Amino acid sequence: MVSNLVNGLNPSATVEIQETLAALTAKGVDIVRLNAGEPDMPTPPHIVEAAIEALKRGETRYTPASGIYPLRQALSKKLKEQNNLDYEPSEIVLTTGAKQAIVNALLSVVNPGDEVIILTPAWVSYPDMVKIAGGKPVMVRTADDYQPDIELLRASITDKTKMILVNSPNNPSGAVYTDENLEAIADLALERGLWVLSDEIYEKLIYHGRKHTSIISLRPELKEQAIVVNGFSKSYAMTGWRAGYLATTKDIAKASTVLTGHITSNVTTFVQWACIAALEGGEACIEDMRQTFERRQLLIEKGLNSLHGFKATHVDGAFYLMPDVSALIGETVGGELILSSKHLAKVLLDQAHVAVIPGEAFFAPGTLRVSYAASEQTIEEAIRRIAALLNK
Ligand SMILES: Cc1ncc(COP(=O)(O)O)c(C=O)c1O
């Protein structure tokens, strides 16, 4: 029998959809995919070369659980120069993707029954990660423009609240929280003595002149009750390499190191050396990818807003849009009476062969998550297919 803990978790909706798509593709169905959660570009060659060099040099043994010192030193410099954050190498821990950083952070801070506030729409894994740590996820919705509703957030805090989880730029909404909203969250956390976990994995994917701000840089005193999570997956097109990190207080960094020591030992050794090359290789490769996403963002926003019943709010980050499709619920699409956004996503897949993820997976019913980690041609084809289905 599976344990009560695992029985209480939900399978990842995005992973399940991948399986459905693989089965359809195997049957020869030509699917246009706007469901991806990862950049569609290859890892920049200088990073790949650095990994190969490290392997040839024999970087194939265990490292300290927190990661090799030169990488933590490079991250300390990056956090200072790019994010205006002061973290010493001893306050930084490498993890197997940002995923492990978040789980480590939660396991290190949360006690059974503690509440963790998650703003919705939210990434699929957050509530289950909180449950793994024995905590209780408390879902608090954002406003129509996907910015935090500070009053609702304040009203959701109880004497059990331990932490607020902040993710800007946001998966799945693409929203970049304003500095005013980040300041308001930081002040609330300081006033109520709450931890803030800031997941900044999409920091480099930000458009139209917006700049990423780390919430902790706005209120440096928050550092004593904060964890910054970041990684290499999205910024450097390195999802399969599994490298992330957290920066936090000495105590939590130590706790996270103990966990890693027991669970994974360390991030793959030659990958850590490649991460140094990523950090030291300049921003040109990142900027190229960013500009590509920026062009696609405009294209897809316009395309989605041209569709009957779709309303996509303008957002400036990540590689997702979350159009409101609630106007189509109760209408007939492709001969089917649409009952929910989940149902609409199924009809789009079955009849237009376009894959998107229903907002229900991200605690935002009435919406769809549309990814533009896909070529302009793919985006145009998807819009054409959906338009044809809606106009049938
Ligand atoms: C918001 C958010 N945080 C964290 C992660 C995890 O990234 P990693 O590949 O570094 O584990 C993802 C990946 O989809 C994400 O969307």
Side-chain angles (χ1 to χ4, degrees):
M1 270 307 277
V2 170
S3 71
N4 295 341
L5 169 69
V6 180
N7 250 335
L9 305 179
N10 300 304
S12 163
T14 44
V15 171
E16 276 190 326
I17 284 169
Q18 292 283 20
E19 283 164 17
T20 309
L21 297 184
L24 284 170
T25 307
K27 281 194 211 152
V29 182
D30 164 33
I31 297 174
V32 173
R33 293 168 185 247
L34 297 184
N35 62 299
E38 58 184 341
D40 51 318
M41 299 86 172
T43 303
H46 67 280
I47 301 174
V48 175
E49 282 307 318
I52 294 169
E53 282 309 310
L55 269 172
K56 286 186 181 160
R57 251 191 350 260
E59 303 288 0
T60 53
R61 295 170 182 262
Y62 291 133
T63 73
S66 57
I68 53 173
Y69 189 77
L71 176 52
R72 284 182 290 126
Q73 221 173 6
L75 284 169
S76 168
K77 185 161 171 269
K78 180 261 179 216
L79 290 167
K80 180 71 201 163
E81 288 173 359
Q82 297 182 8
N83 306 111
N84 197 21
L85 295 173
D86 288 303
Y87 286 103
E88 296 168 14
S90 61
E91 296 167 321
I92 297 169
V93 180
L94 271 296
T95 52
T96 302
K99 267 188 178 165
Q100 195 202 354
I102 301 165
V103 174
N104 273 11
L106 290 165
L107 286 169
S108 301
V109 171
V110 171
N111 283 310
D114 284 349
E115 294 177 358
V116 175
I117 293 182
I118 299 170
L119 300 173
T120 64
W123 182 43
V124 280
S125 294
Y126 289 148
D128 286 313
M129 288 168 154
V130 170
K131 287 188 217 159
I132 289 170
K136 183 176 164 222
V138 174
M139 312 307 277
V140 176
R141 62 182 163 72
T142 53
D144 286 347
D145 58 358
Y146 297 129
Q147 288 289 326
D149 178 338
I150 301 298
E151 284 321 305
L152 191 59
L153 183 58
R154 182 188 296 280
S156 309
I157 297 173
T158 71
D159 54 7
K160 295 223 167 68
T161 309
K162 187 66 165 279
M163 180 188 274
I164 305 174
L165 213 155
V166 178
N167 171 219
S168 173
N170 185 269
N171 175 13
S173 73
V176 177
Y177 295 169
T178 63
D179 283 6
E180 293 71 35
N181 279 332
L182 291 173
E183 273 167 0
I185 296 173
D187 288 341
L188 207 50
L190 286 167
E191 183 190 312
R192 305 294 294 266
L194 306 177
W195 281 82
V196 169
L197 190 158
S198 179
D199 178 349
E200 303 182 13
I201 188 97
Y202 290 95
E203 71 162 331
K204 301 285 183 192
L205 299 170
I206 192 160
Y207 319 113
H208 318 306
R210 290 290 297 273
K211 293 271 171 281
H212 172 68
T213 309
S214 175
I215 181 171
I216 292 95
S217 69
L218 294 169
R219 294 285 185 270
E221 62 272 38
L222 193 61
K223 202 184 143 191
E224 293 311 309
Q225 56 204 65
I227 301 141
V228 181
V229 168
N230 208 327
F232 295 81
S233 287
K234 317 284 175 173
S235 305
Y236 295 95
M238 289 174 68
T239 46
W241 297 66
R242 312 308 304 130
Y245 58 93
L246 54 85
T248 182
T249 63
K250 285 204 164 50
D251 281 354
I252 299 301
K254 221 166 168 178
S256 175
T257 306
V258 169
L259 285 168
T260 296
H262 287 305
I263 300 172
T264 56
S265 283
N266 56 260
V267 173
T268 305
T269 303
F270 50 89
V271 167
Q272 294 189 50
W273 289 97
C275 289
I276 297 179
L279 292 169
E280 293 180 348
E283 297 278 294
C285 60
I286 296 182
E287 180 55 18
D288 277 356
M289 291 194 258
R290 195 198 66 76
Q291 287 180 13
T292 303
F293 283 123
E294 188 167 52
R295 279 194 303 277
R296 294 171 178 176
Q297 200 269 347
L298 291 173
L299 180 72
I300 199 162
E301 183 182 317
K302 190 159 161 247
L304 289 171
N305 280 323
S306 74
L307 296 170
H308 167 72
F310 279 64
K311 196 167 129 259
T313 304
H314 178 80
V315 287
D316 294 305
F319 36 66
Y320 313 104
L321 285 183
M322 236 193 168
D324 180 344
V325 291
S326 53
L328 290 171
I329 297 171
E331 282 200 17
T332 303
V333 175
E336 287 198 42
L337 179 69
I338 300 300
L339 303 173
S340 62
S341 44
K342 190 170 180 190
H343 185 197
L344 178 65
K346 185 170 182 318
V347 172
L348 294 181
L349 181 60
D350 290 346
Q351 299 198 36
H353 299 157
V354 174
V356 295
I357 304 194
E360 282 87 339
F362 306 97
F363 320 97
T367 67
L368 299 174
R369 189 192 76 170
V370 184
S371 162
Y372 51 95
S375 70
E376 293 185 23
Q377 221 178 350
T378 304
I379 292 168
E380 281 165 350
E381 175 62 13
I383 300 292
R384 227 180 346 258
R385 288 189 187 189
I386 299 173
L389 180 67
L390 292 172
N391 294 334
K392 235 186 198 169

